[in-house]
Amino acid sequence: MLLAGTVLGAAGYRLEHALWVRGPEAVRTAEGWRIAGREGRQFSGLALHGARLLWQSGPVIRMVDLDSGKIRLLGPGADARATWPPALGGRYAVWFETADPGRRGAEVIAYDTERGRRWRVARLGDVYSLAAVSGDVAVWCTADRDGEPRVAGLRIASGQPLEIAPEYGVPVVSGDLVVWGRGTTGPFTARELSSGHTRPVAAGDLGGELTAYALAGRDLAWGQLEGSGGRVAVVDVDTGATRLVALGVPGLVGPAFDGTTVVWVQAASGSRAGAATDTSAVMGRRLDGGATFEVATVEGSVTEVAVSGGTVAWLASVRGAPRVETKELPR
Amino acid sequence: MNLERLGVDRGWLLFFLLAGLWLLNIADLTLTRYAIWLGFATESNWVMDYFLRSGDAAALAFKVGIVTVGELLLWRLRAHRAVLFAAVLLTGLFAAVVTYQVLWVLSL
């Protein structure tokens, strides 16, 4: 009878997953992984760190282990109906969830990738930015009942709150350093969490609309639109020394930056700029020297890109079908 | 089915079924508690949810207590054929539930 029950339980589990749980499928390619959605929802919120890659699909947050290809469901929780895109900064991932998308506020959810455990770490007022994570620190922009925006965060393991700046900004964090852009065109402000010292970042030639920015170590990489093209640059937050990485980039998406390599997406030659292009090129450049190189040519539009260590990942939409792809960078 | 003809003692069979059921009950509680701790599950049985919120000791005492009382009742009524049938059904059902839970937890 025990055996019959065991068989019945296993059969029920298999049947449920075959008929009703249609998660994405990870397929190993010659250069990395290809994860195709089977739920009919677009992907967003790409977050990569080491061998772990997270993304959002509708309200669902998923993580794939790039060593094994195993895909895990991280959210939403049993009581939640909507999520915000996740951030991953080492051991911890953080995102926001709400049970009622029509009401203000959200829960801050943390996921410990080592223990496989998720929990609610805080409650937010209005969500003004997505979360950013580095190590044990998560940061975001929120507003309480008074409606005044503020850059804030917390230490994930202890839940200790961090008050960073009483102003609007979309923050990024790396170690002890938090940097935020105060608007769609900057400027950037930096704050050391340990000393509390706050100062402007002397990034040269800001002006065009920012496409994205990423902080790794003491370097901030950003992209901005300039006329028909885009520009990618990196600034040393301490000295203000700015290095131009790419100029006149058509249809710039990104950049992403891991401290060593800057990656971005551009319209492949002959196709029009932006997310509506038919073919996109994922490009990269190492900061320690060397020329710009092409990581991959991607059929369809690429909406997000991420880099960590020797791995580049991007979100693509091929004839409306969502896809995550990864590729190991050439050494 | 004539168990005596197969050389199976009805009393011992019932004893082992009830012991298995008791252990499966502990496994069910352990897996449920672990899934809740992982943050991926909530207890939908409001009675059990109350005890789980009261603490592990309260949940263990309630769940083990109620199954132990039920099993003692079945043991007292072991002369009835229906008791063995009920024990077989319950043990199979619990085995199915625990197997499902093990597979689900492993997928997290």
PDB file of all heavy atoms in Angstrom, chain A residues 152-187:
ATOM      1  N   ALA A 152      16.714  54.862  -0.403  1.00  0.00           N
ATOM      2  CA  ALA A 152      16.839  54.111   0.848  1.00  0.00           C
ATOM      3  C   ALA A 152      17.202  52.665   0.527  1.00  0.00           C
ATOM      4  O   ALA A 152      17.413  52.309  -0.631  1.00  0.00           O
ATOM      5  CB  ALA A 152      15.532  54.180   1.628  1.00  0.00           C
ATOM      6  N   GLY A 153      17.271  51.864   1.555  1.00  0.00           N
ATOM      7  CA  GLY A 153      17.589  50.456   1.351  1.00  0.00           C
ATOM      8  C   GLY A 153      17.676  49.738   2.667  1.00  0.00           C
ATOM      9  O   GLY A 153      17.174  50.220   3.686  1.00  0.00           O
ATOM     10  N   LEU A 154      18.342  48.604   2.659  1.00  0.00           N
ATOM     11  CA  LEU A 154      18.535  47.859   3.907  1.00  0.00           C
ATOM     12  C   LEU A 154      19.648  46.835   3.735  1.00  0.00           C
ATOM     13  O   LEU A 154      20.072  46.531   2.625  1.00  0.00           O
ATOM     14  CB  LEU A 154      17.239  47.180   4.340  1.00  0.00           C
ATOM     15  CG  LEU A 154      16.474  46.278   3.392  1.00  0.00           C
ATOM     16  CD1 LEU A 154      17.163  44.949   3.132  1.00  0.00           C
ATOM     17  CD2 LEU A 154      15.099  46.007   3.960  1.00  0.00           C
ATOM     18  N   ARG A 155      20.106  46.343   4.884  1.00  0.00           N
ATOM     19  CA  ARG A 155      21.014  45.193   4.882  1.00  0.00           C
ATOM     20  C   ARG A 155      20.129  43.947   4.896  1.00  0.00           C
ATOM     21  O   ARG A 155      19.278  43.793   5.784  1.00  0.00           O
ATOM     22  CB  ARG A 155      21.952  45.248   6.085  1.00  0.00           C
ATOM     23  CG  ARG A 155      22.888  46.439   6.013  1.00  0.00           C
ATOM     24  CD  ARG A 155      24.142  46.276   6.813  1.00  0.00           C
ATOM     25  NE  ARG A 155      24.979  47.468   6.640  1.00  0.00           N
ATOM     26  CZ  ARG A 155      25.857  47.642   5.650  1.00  0.00           C
ATOM     27  NH1 ARG A 155      26.025  46.681   4.747  1.00  0.00           N
ATOM     28  NH2 ARG A 155      26.563  48.750   5.546  1.00  0.00           N
ATOM     29  N   ILE A 156      20.304  43.112   3.894  1.00  0.00           N
ATOM     30  CA  ILE A 156      19.334  42.050   3.634  1.00  0.00           C
ATOM     31  C   ILE A 156      19.268  41.033   4.770  1.00  0.00           C
ATOM     32  O   ILE A 156      18.184  40.659   5.218  1.00  0.00           O
ATOM     33  CB  ILE A 156      19.665  41.355   2.297  1.00  0.00           C
ATOM     34  CG1 ILE A 156      19.576  42.361   1.153  1.00  0.00           C
ATOM     35  CG2 ILE A 156      18.741  40.186   2.039  1.00  0.00           C
ATOM     36  CD1 ILE A 156      20.223  41.915  -0.140  1.00  0.00           C
ATOM     37  N   ALA A 157      20.421  40.587   5.250  1.00  0.00           N
ATOM     38  CA  ALA A 157      20.419  39.513   6.253  1.00  0.00           C
ATOM     39  C   ALA A 157      19.792  39.970   7.563  1.00  0.00           C
ATOM     40  O   ALA A 157      19.027  39.241   8.188  1.00  0.00           O
ATOM     41  CB  ALA A 157      21.842  39.018   6.483  1.00  0.00           C
ATOM     42  N   SER A 158      20.106  41.193   7.980  1.00  0.00           N
ATOM     43  CA  SER A 158      19.618  41.669   9.278  1.00  0.00           C
ATOM     44  C   SER A 158      18.332  42.475   9.161  1.00  0.00           C
ATOM     45  O   SER A 158      17.624  42.658  10.150  1.00  0.00           O
ATOM     46  CB  SER A 158      20.687  42.538   9.940  1.00  0.00           C
ATOM     47  OG  SER A 158      20.907  43.720   9.174  1.00  0.00           O
ATOM     48  N   GLY A 159      18.040  43.000   7.980  1.00  0.00           N
ATOM     49  CA  GLY A 159      16.877  43.860   7.808  1.00  0.00           C
ATOM     50  C   GLY A 159      17.116  45.284   8.272  1.00  0.00           C
ATOM     51  O   GLY A 159      16.180  46.098   8.270  1.00  0.00           O
ATOM     52  N   GLN A 160      18.356  45.602   8.640  1.00  0.00           N
ATOM     53  CA  GLN A 160      18.664  46.947   9.138  1.00  0.00           C
ATOM     54  C   GLN A 160      18.443  47.984   8.035  1.00  0.00           C
ATOM     55  O   GLN A 160      19.051  47.912   6.971  1.00  0.00           O
ATOM     56  CB  GLN A 160      20.129  46.998   9.589  1.00  0.00           C
ATOM     57  CG  GLN A 160      20.576  48.366  10.066  1.00  0.00           C
ATOM     58  CD  GLN A 160      22.098  48.490  10.125  1.00  0.00           C
ATOM     59  OE1 GLN A 160      22.812  47.504  10.080  1.00  0.00           O
ATOM     60  NE2 GLN A 160      22.578  49.711  10.201  1.00  0.00           N
ATOM     61  N   PRO A 161      17.563  48.969   8.268  1.00  0.00           N
ATOM     62  CA  PRO A 161      17.284  49.955   7.211  1.00  0.00           C
ATOM     63  C   PRO A 161      18.451  50.909   6.973  1.00  0.00           C
ATOM     64  O   PRO A 161      19.225  51.200   7.885  1.00  0.00           O
ATOM     65  CB  PRO A 161      16.065  50.706   7.738  1.00  0.00           C
ATOM     66  CG  PRO A 161      15.971  50.391   9.174  1.00  0.00           C
ATOM     67  CD  PRO A 161      16.758  49.171   9.465  1.00  0.00           C
ATOM     68  N   LEU A 162      18.540  51.390   5.733  1.00  0.00           N
ATOM     69  CA  LEU A 162      19.575  52.355   5.354  1.00  0.00           C
ATOM     70  C   LEU A 162      18.885  53.572   4.757  1.00  0.00           C
ATOM     71  O   LEU A 162      18.140  53.442   3.785  1.00  0.00           O
ATOM     72  CB  LEU A 162      20.528  51.745   4.311  1.00  0.00           C
ATOM     73  CG  LEU A 162      21.326  50.500   4.720  1.00  0.00           C
ATOM     74  CD1 LEU A 162      21.971  49.875   3.491  1.00  0.00           C
ATOM     75  CD2 LEU A 162      22.394  50.865   5.744  1.00  0.00           C
ATOM     76  N   GLU A 163      19.111  54.735   5.327  1.00  0.00           N
ATOM     77  CA  GLU A 163      18.612  55.985   4.747  1.00  0.00           C
ATOM     78  C   GLU A 163      19.766  56.611   3.984  1.00  0.00           C
ATOM     79  O   GLU A 163      20.801  56.947   4.558  1.00  0.00           O
ATOM     80  CB  GLU A 163      18.101  56.916   5.847  1.00  0.00           C
ATOM     81  CG  GLU A 163      16.836  56.423   6.532  1.00  0.00           C
ATOM     82  CD  GLU A 163      15.654  56.259   5.574  1.00  0.00           C
ATOM     83  OE1 GLU A 163      15.587  57.003   4.570  1.00  0.00           O
ATOM     84  OE2 GLU A 163      14.810  55.386   5.808  1.00  0.00           O
ATOM     85  N   ILE A 164      19.610  56.784   2.687  1.00  0.00           N
ATOM     86  CA  ILE A 164      20.743  57.191   1.853  1.00  0.00           C
ATOM     87  C   ILE A 164      20.636  58.646   1.416  1.00  0.00           C
ATOM     88  O   ILE A 164      21.592  59.406   1.538  1.00  0.00           O
ATOM     89  CB  ILE A 164      20.868  56.238   0.642  1.00  0.00           C
ATOM     90  CG1 ILE A 164      21.178  54.831   1.175  1.00  0.00           C
ATOM     91  CG2 ILE A 164      21.961  56.699  -0.318  1.00  0.00           C
ATOM     92  CD1 ILE A 164      20.977  53.722   0.213  1.00  0.00           C
ATOM     93  N   ALA A 165      19.488  59.062   0.904  1.00  0.00           N
ATOM     94  CA  ALA A 165      19.362  60.471   0.487  1.00  0.00           C
ATOM     95  C   ALA A 165      17.889  60.858   0.453  1.00  0.00           C
ATOM     96  O   ALA A 165      17.062  60.088  -0.044  1.00  0.00           O
ATOM     97  CB  ALA A 165      19.984  60.689  -0.885  1.00  0.00           C
ATOM     98  N   PRO A 166      17.552  62.040   0.930  1.00  0.00           N
ATOM     99  CA  PRO A 166      16.142  62.480   0.918  1.00  0.00           C
ATOM    100  C   PRO A 166      15.765  63.127  -0.400  1.00  0.00           C
ATOM    101  O   PRO A 166      15.349  64.293  -0.449  1.00  0.00           O
ATOM    102  CB  PRO A 166      16.103  63.485   2.079  1.00  0.00           C
ATOM    103  CG  PRO A 166      17.467  64.073   2.086  1.00  0.00           C
ATOM    104  CD  PRO A 166      18.416  63.007   1.621  1.00  0.00           C
ATOM    105  N   GLU A 167      15.936  62.395  -1.499  1.00  0.00           N
ATOM    106  CA  GLU A 167      15.643  62.944  -2.817  1.00  0.00           C
ATOM    107  C   GLU A 167      15.318  61.812  -3.788  1.00  0.00           C
ATOM    108  O   GLU A 167      15.560  60.646  -3.487  1.00  0.00           O
ATOM    109  CB  GLU A 167      16.835  63.737  -3.349  1.00  0.00           C
ATOM    110  CG  GLU A 167      18.083  62.896  -3.549  1.00  0.00           C
ATOM    111  CD  GLU A 167      19.274  63.725  -3.998  1.00  0.00           C
ATOM    112  OE1 GLU A 167      19.249  64.946  -3.788  1.00  0.00           O
ATOM    113  OE2 GLU A 167      20.208  63.154  -4.563  1.00  0.00           O
ATOM    114  N   TYR A 168      14.808  62.182  -4.943  1.00  0.00           N
ATOM    115  CA  TYR A 168      14.527  61.180  -5.972  1.00  0.00           C
ATOM    116  C   TYR A 168      15.831  60.737  -6.621  1.00  0.00           C
ATOM    117  O   TYR A 168      16.733  61.542  -6.856  1.00  0.00           O
ATOM    118  CB  TYR A 168      13.591  61.734  -7.051  1.00  0.00           C
ATOM    119  CG  TYR A 168      13.446  60.768  -8.208  1.00  0.00           C
ATOM    120  CD1 TYR A 168      12.596  59.676  -8.103  1.00  0.00           C
ATOM    121  CD2 TYR A 168      14.210  60.928  -9.365  1.00  0.00           C
ATOM    122  CE1 TYR A 168      12.498  58.766  -9.136  1.00  0.00           C
ATOM    123  CE2 TYR A 168      14.109  60.010 -10.405  1.00  0.00           C
ATOM    124  CZ  TYR A 168      13.248  58.933 -10.288  1.00  0.00           C
ATOM    125  OH  TYR A 168      13.160  58.020 -11.294  1.00  0.00           O
ATOM    126  N   GLY A 169      15.929  59.464  -6.942  1.00  0.00           N
ATOM    127  CA  GLY A 169      17.075  58.946  -7.677  1.00  0.00           C
ATOM    128  C   GLY A 169      16.885  57.462  -7.911  1.00  0.00           C
ATOM    129  O   GLY A 169      16.196  56.798  -7.152  1.00  0.00           O
ATOM    130  N   VAL A 170      17.484  56.983  -8.982  1.00  0.00           N
ATOM    131  CA  VAL A 170      17.447  55.544  -9.264  1.00  0.00           C
ATOM    132  C   VAL A 170      18.821  55.003  -8.892  1.00  0.00           C
ATOM    133  O   VAL A 170      19.795  55.249  -9.597  1.00  0.00           O
ATOM    134  CB  VAL A 170      17.117  55.283 -10.748  1.00  0.00           C
ATOM    135  CG1 VAL A 170      17.142  53.791 -11.035  1.00  0.00           C
ATOM    136  CG2 VAL A 170      15.760  55.871 -11.084  1.00  0.00           C
ATOM    137  N   PRO A 171      18.910  54.297  -7.761  1.00  0.00           N
ATOM    138  CA  PRO A 171      20.238  53.945  -7.256  1.00  0.00           C
ATOM    139  C   PRO A 171      20.785  52.629  -7.810  1.00  0.00           C
ATOM    140  O   PRO A 171      20.031  51.718  -8.157  1.00  0.00           O
ATOM    141  CB  PRO A 171      19.992  53.825  -5.752  1.00  0.00           C
ATOM    142  CG  PRO A 171      18.580  53.364  -5.640  1.00  0.00           C
ATOM    143  CD  PRO A 171      17.840  53.934  -6.820  1.00  0.00           C
ATOM    144  N   VAL A 172      22.115  52.569  -7.849  1.00  0.00           N
ATOM    145  CA  VAL A 172      22.850  51.318  -8.079  1.00  0.00           C
ATOM    146  C   VAL A 172      23.869  51.219  -6.953  1.00  0.00           C
ATOM    147  O   VAL A 172      24.242  52.236  -6.358  1.00  0.00           O
ATOM    148  CB  VAL A 172      23.541  51.293  -9.457  1.00  0.00           C
ATOM    149  CG1 VAL A 172      22.526  51.106 -10.569  1.00  0.00           C
ATOM    150  CG2 VAL A 172      24.357  52.565  -9.708  1.00  0.00           C
ATOM    151  N   VAL A 173      24.311  50.013  -6.655  1.00  0.00           N
ATOM    152  CA  VAL A 173      25.200  49.829  -5.518  1.00  0.00           C
ATOM    153  C   VAL A 173      26.279  48.821  -5.865  1.00  0.00           C
ATOM    154  O   VAL A 173      26.044  47.875  -6.610  1.00  0.00           O
ATOM    155  CB  VAL A 173      24.397  49.376  -4.264  1.00  0.00           C
ATOM    156  CG1 VAL A 173      23.651  48.081  -4.508  1.00  0.00           C
ATOM    157  CG2 VAL A 173      25.282  49.269  -3.038  1.00  0.00           C
ATOM    158  N   SER A 174      27.472  49.069  -5.324  1.00  0.00           N
ATOM    159  CA  SER A 174      28.563  48.110  -5.437  1.00  0.00           C
ATOM    160  C   SER A 174      29.378  48.203  -4.162  1.00  0.00           C
ATOM    161  O   SER A 174      29.998  49.233  -3.890  1.00  0.00           O
ATOM    162  CB  SER A 174      29.433  48.412  -6.661  1.00  0.00           C
ATOM    163  OG  SER A 174      30.485  47.476  -6.748  1.00  0.00           O
ATOM    164  N   GLY A 175      29.370  47.171  -3.370  1.00  0.00           N
ATOM    165  CA  GLY A 175      30.066  47.178  -2.087  1.00  0.00           C
ATOM    166  C   GLY A 175      29.495  48.257  -1.188  1.00  0.00           C
ATOM    167  O   GLY A 175      28.310  48.270  -0.884  1.00  0.00           O
ATOM    168  N   ASP A 176      30.357  49.193  -0.812  1.00  0.00           N
ATOM    169  CA  ASP A 176      29.981  50.246   0.127  1.00  0.00           C
ATOM    170  C   ASP A 176      29.494  51.511  -0.582  1.00  0.00           C
ATOM    171  O   ASP A 176      29.102  52.477   0.059  1.00  0.00           O
ATOM    172  CB  ASP A 176      31.236  50.573   0.962  1.00  0.00           C
ATOM    173  CG  ASP A 176      30.919  51.431   2.158  1.00  0.00           C
ATOM    174  OD1 ASP A 176      29.951  51.110   2.867  1.00  0.00           O
ATOM    175  OD2 ASP A 176      31.621  52.432   2.364  1.00  0.00           O
ATOM    176  N   LEU A 177      29.534  51.500  -1.892  1.00  0.00           N
ATOM    177  CA  LEU A 177      29.265  52.708  -2.674  1.00  0.00           C
ATOM    178  C   LEU A 177      27.881  52.648  -3.335  1.00  0.00           C
ATOM    179  O   LEU A 177      27.551  51.672  -4.005  1.00  0.00           O
ATOM    180  CB  LEU A 177      30.341  52.856  -3.755  1.00  0.00           C
ATOM    181  CG  LEU A 177      30.243  54.054  -4.699  1.00  0.00           C
ATOM    182  CD1 LEU A 177      30.468  55.365  -3.936  1.00  0.00           C
ATOM    183  CD2 LEU A 177      31.266  53.927  -5.823  1.00  0.00           C
ATOM    184  N   VAL A 178      27.105  53.706  -3.123  1.00  0.00           N
ATOM    185  CA  VAL A 178      25.803  53.831  -3.789  1.00  0.00           C
ATOM    186  C   VAL A 178      25.854  55.046  -4.698  1.00  0.00           C
ATOM    187  O   VAL A 178      26.324  56.111  -4.295  1.00  0.00           O
ATOM    188  CB  VAL A 178      24.651  54.011  -2.766  1.00  0.00           C
ATOM    189  CG1 VAL A 178      23.307  54.128  -3.486  1.00  0.00           C
ATOM    190  CG2 VAL A 178      24.623  52.867  -1.781  1.00  0.00           C
ATOM    191  N   VAL A 179      25.404  54.892  -5.940  1.00  0.00           N
ATOM    192  CA  VAL A 179      25.349  56.002  -6.897  1.00  0.00           C
ATOM    193  C   VAL A 179      23.933  56.068  -7.443  1.00  0.00           C
ATOM    194  O   VAL A 179      23.325  55.027  -7.718  1.00  0.00           O
ATOM    195  CB  VAL A 179      26.356  55.805  -8.053  1.00  0.00           C
ATOM    196  CG1 VAL A 179      26.170  56.875  -9.123  1.00  0.00           C
ATOM    197  CG2 VAL A 179      27.785  55.822  -7.527  1.00  0.00           C
ATOM    198  N   TRP A 180      23.398  57.265  -7.575  1.00  0.00           N
ATOM    199  CA  TRP A 180      22.071  57.386  -8.171  1.00  0.00           C
ATOM    200  C   TRP A 180      22.036  58.546  -9.157  1.00  0.00           C
ATOM    201  O   TRP A 180      22.717  59.566  -8.971  1.00  0.00           O
ATOM    202  CB  TRP A 180      20.979  57.533  -7.117  1.00  0.00           C
ATOM    203  CG  TRP A 180      21.090  58.733  -6.226  1.00  0.00           C
ATOM    204  CD1 TRP A 180      20.486  59.933  -6.379  1.00  0.00           C
ATOM    205  CD2 TRP A 180      21.869  58.836  -5.019  1.00  0.00           C
ATOM    206  NE1 TRP A 180      20.818  60.775  -5.354  1.00  0.00           N
ATOM    207  CE2 TRP A 180      21.667  60.121  -4.501  1.00  0.00           C
ATOM    208  CE3 TRP A 180      22.715  57.947  -4.331  1.00  0.00           C
ATOM    209  CZ2 TRP A 180      22.278  60.561  -3.320  1.00  0.00           C
ATOM    210  CZ3 TRP A 180      23.313  58.391  -3.166  1.00  0.00           C
ATOM    211  CH2 TRP A 180      23.088  59.677  -2.668  1.00  0.00           C
ATOM    212  N   GLY A 181      21.248  58.342 -10.200  1.00  0.00           N
ATOM    213  CA  GLY A 181      20.990  59.415 -11.151  1.00  0.00           C
ATOM    214  C   GLY A 181      19.724  60.122 -10.720  1.00  0.00           C
ATOM    215  O   GLY A 181      18.720  59.480 -10.402  1.00  0.00           O
ATOM    216  N   ARG A 182      19.760  61.437 -10.731  1.00  0.00           N
ATOM    217  CA  ARG A 182      18.630  62.198 -10.173  1.00  0.00           C
ATOM    218  C   ARG A 182      17.545  62.468 -11.203  1.00  0.00           C
ATOM    219  O   ARG A 182      16.538  63.083 -10.889  1.00  0.00           O
ATOM    220  CB  ARG A 182      19.150  63.498  -9.567  1.00  0.00           C
ATOM    221  CG  ARG A 182      20.034  63.200  -8.363  1.00  0.00           C
ATOM    222  CD  ARG A 182      20.758  64.422  -7.872  1.00  0.00           C
ATOM    223  NE  ARG A 182      19.862  65.420  -7.339  1.00  0.00           N
ATOM    224  CZ  ARG A 182      20.271  66.634  -6.941  1.00  0.00           C
ATOM    225  NH1 ARG A 182      21.544  66.960  -7.045  1.00  0.00           N
ATOM    226  NH2 ARG A 182      19.419  67.491  -6.457  1.00  0.00           N
ATOM    227  N   GLY A 183      17.756  62.061 -12.414  1.00  0.00           N
ATOM    228  CA  GLY A 183      16.741  62.246 -13.445  1.00  0.00           C
ATOM    229  C   GLY A 183      17.099  61.417 -14.661  1.00  0.00           C
ATOM    230  O   GLY A 183      18.061  60.637 -14.624  1.00  0.00           O
ATOM    231  N   THR A 184      16.349  61.581 -15.732  1.00  0.00           N
ATOM    232  CA  THR A 184      16.599  60.775 -16.929  1.00  0.00           C
ATOM    233  C   THR A 184      17.891  61.181 -17.635  1.00  0.00           C
ATOM    234  O   THR A 184      18.374  60.457 -18.492  1.00  0.00           O
ATOM    235  CB  THR A 184      15.430  60.894 -17.914  1.00  0.00           C
ATOM    236  OG1 THR A 184      15.227  62.287 -18.192  1.00  0.00           O
ATOM    237  CG2 THR A 184      14.154  60.307 -17.352  1.00  0.00           C
ATOM    238  N   THR A 185      18.431  62.352 -17.277  1.00  0.00           N
ATOM    239  CA  THR A 185      19.700  62.767 -17.901  1.00  0.00           C
ATOM    240  C   THR A 185      20.812  62.934 -16.859  1.00  0.00           C
ATOM    241  O   THR A 185      21.834  63.536 -17.148  1.00  0.00           O
ATOM    242  CB  THR A 185      19.511  64.107 -18.647  1.00  0.00           C
ATOM    243  OG1 THR A 185      19.063  65.098 -17.705  1.00  0.00           O
ATOM    244  CG2 THR A 185      18.489  63.980 -19.765  1.00  0.00           C
ATOM    245  N   GLY A 186      20.607  62.436 -15.662  1.00  0.00           N
ATOM    246  CA  GLY A 186      21.583  62.640 -14.597  1.00  0.00           C
ATOM    247  C   GLY A 186      21.232  63.912 -13.851  1.00  0.00           C
ATOM    248  O   GLY A 186      20.082  64.359 -13.936  1.00  0.00           O
ATOM    249  N   PRO A 187      22.145  64.518 -13.101  1.00  0.00           N
ATOM    250  CA  PRO A 187      23.520  64.066 -12.841  1.00  0.00           C
ATOM    251  C   PRO A 187      23.548  62.937 -11.814  1.00  0.00           C
ATOM    252  O   PRO A 187      22.530  62.609 -11.214  1.00  0.00           O
ATOM    253  CB  PRO A 187      24.161  65.339 -12.266  1.00  0.00           C
ATOM    254  CG  PRO A 187      23.028  66.016 -11.553  1.00  0.00           C
ATOM    255  CD  PRO A 187      21.817  65.757 -12.394  1.00  0.00           C
TER     256      PRO A 187
END
